[in-house]
Amino acid sequence: MTEQPTIPLTDQDLLRLDRQICFSLNAAGRAFGGLYRIVLKDLGLTYPQYLVMLVLWEHGELPVKDIGAHLRLDSGTLSPLLKRLETAGLVRRERSTEDERSVHARLTEEGTALRERAARVPRRIAAATGYELEEIRDLQTRLDRLTAALDAAAAEI
């Protein structure tokens, strides 16, 4: 089989919406958000709250600053999430006894128990993609590499 010659893209081609990787990633993110909204409804969690719970289920008690680092969220975004999780009885926030500037978040018994019900979520999401687990892992690896490259590029600017 012979390869077809590549036709160079013009500036006008490059400015088409369907050529923007950022738009494709944003559209996929919004589609995931819509699906998660449906899947997480039974758990009483929003997608951002679910992400916080994932970090706490994985790492246990953490300073709020560390949760933000894991999720790439600033405290202004994270604090209201934690407040709502605390109001729901899933998380408890407490000032550190060693450093009063630091607030730690930890799961309550109810928050820990929710993990069992949440265990079905990743398989439901994976099934909805129509991808095999190996394909999902490959895509995730590629997206992680892309994120690292973009972080590095932004740091140089």
Side-chain angles (χ1 to χ4, degrees):
M1 179 195 246
T2 59
E3 288 189 31
Q4 296 292 328
T6 303
I7 300 170
L9 296 174
T10 66
D11 285 347
Q12 202 160 23
D13 290 331
L14 291 173
L15 289 175
R16 289 175 43 120
L17 182 61
D18 64 355
R19 298 274 187 194
Q20 307 304 307
I21 188 172
C22 57
F23 181 75
S24 296
L25 288 169
N26 186 59
R30 291 180 62 80
F32 268 114
L35 180 59
Y36 271 103
R37 193 174 306 108
I38 295 164
V39 172
L40 294 173
K41 187 175 184 179
D42 292 341
L43 299 179
L45 296 174
T46 64
Y47 176 67
Q49 291 169 342
Y50 173 69
L51 295 179
V52 170
M53 296 300 289
L54 287 173
V55 170
L56 292 173
W57 287 327
E58 183 177 347
H59 299 283
E61 181 176 333
L62 284 174
V64 171
K65 180 180 176 182
D66 291 358
I67 297 170
H70 282 289
L71 297 176
R72 300 175 65 107
L73 293 176
D74 60 47
S75 63
T77 302
L78 188 55
S79 290
L81 288 172
L82 288 167
K83 186 175 183 177
R84 284 192 293 274
L85 289 169
E86 190 171 33
T87 300
L90 300 174
V91 169
R92 178 161 290 124
R93 293 179 297 165
E94 296 173 350
R95 290 222 171 267
S96 169
T97 55
E98 298 157 8
D99 179 359
E100 285 195 19
R101 295 171 296 173
S102 179
V103 175
H104 288 239
R106 65 177 170 85
L107 295 167
T108 62
E109 284 184 33
E110 189 177 340
T112 300
L114 187 62
R115 184 179 190 196
E116 188 175 319
R117 289 179 46 217
R120 297 184 296 268
V121 171
R123 290 188 191 281
R124 288 182 70 187
I125 298 298
T129 67
Y131 285 17
E132 297 295 325
L133 287 178
E134 186 177 310
E135 291 176 297
I136 291 171
R137 286 191 185 110
D138 179 59
L139 177 59
Q140 188 174 11
T141 298
R142 290 171 182 258
L143 289 172
D144 290 346
R145 280 188 12 229
L146 175 61
T147 300
L150 294 173
D151 284 345
E156 290 180 9
I157 296 176

